[in-house]
Amino acid sequence: MTNHSFPRKEPLEHTDVDPLPNITDQVNQYRAERRRRRLKANNTRRHEHPPSQEDEVLHLASIWAPYGGPPPDEIFERFGITPQHFADRVRQALQKLDSTSSSAAKLSDVYPERPLRRRQ
């Protein structure tokens, strides 16, 4: 059996900078970075505008489009209006959108233009 001798390593010289930070320093750096990112995200959110009521109307209309539109109680709870007024708002919002989009076409099928009623 041969005896393999490995070169003997000399002890590292002491330097002012540790080769690896200890675990506590790593955790503190991680927490500081997380805190910085969270603050940045919160500041970004504050400057964003909340969705308009028009956006919310279109969002609800698109969710319920496969079912023929939202139920009347859902419309009233969210917007305080009748289903007919809701349909009017959807059509008004659709007029502002690109009518060639597939979502606009689907909503137009569910909320078609209603004919004008004659007053008697």
Side-chain angles (χ1 to χ4, degrees), residues 89-107:
R89 287 193 182 176
V90 170
R91 284 191 297 273
Q92 289 170 357
L94 287 174
Q95 289 174 354
K96 296 178 184 178
L97 292 179
D98 179 18
S99 59
T100 60
S101 73
S102 63
S103 59
K106 288 177 188 175
L107 290 177

Side-chain angles (χ1 to χ4, degrees), residues 33-51:
E33 179 65 20
R34 253 182 83 195
R35 204 173 307 122
R36 186 187 65 76
R37 286 184 183 182
R38 201 172 325 134
L39 287 172
K40 184 178 179 183
N42 287 342
N43 287 338
T44 302
R45 274 190 229 118
R46 279 190 211 132
H47 297 295
E48 292 176 355
H49 297 289

Side-chain angles (χ1 to χ4, degrees), residues 44-104:
T44 302
R45 274 190 229 118
R46 279 190 211 132
H47 297 295
E48 292 176 355
H49 297 289
S52 67
Q53 189 171 31
E54 184 176 272
D55 293 337
E56 291 179 15
V57 165
L58 287 175
H59 180 71
L60 184 67
S62 64
I63 290 171
W64 283 93
Y67 310 104
D73 58 332
E74 179 78 15
I75 294 169
F76 186 77
E77 285 176 21
R78 289 200 185 196
F79 305 106
I81 58 177
T82 65
Q84 191 58 51
H85 285 116
F86 179 79
D88 291 341
R89 287 193 182 176
V90 170
R91 284 191 297 273
Q92 289 170 357
L94 287 174
Q95 289 174 354
K96 296 178 184 178
L97 292 179
D98 179 18
S99 59
T100 60
S101 73
S102 63
S103 59

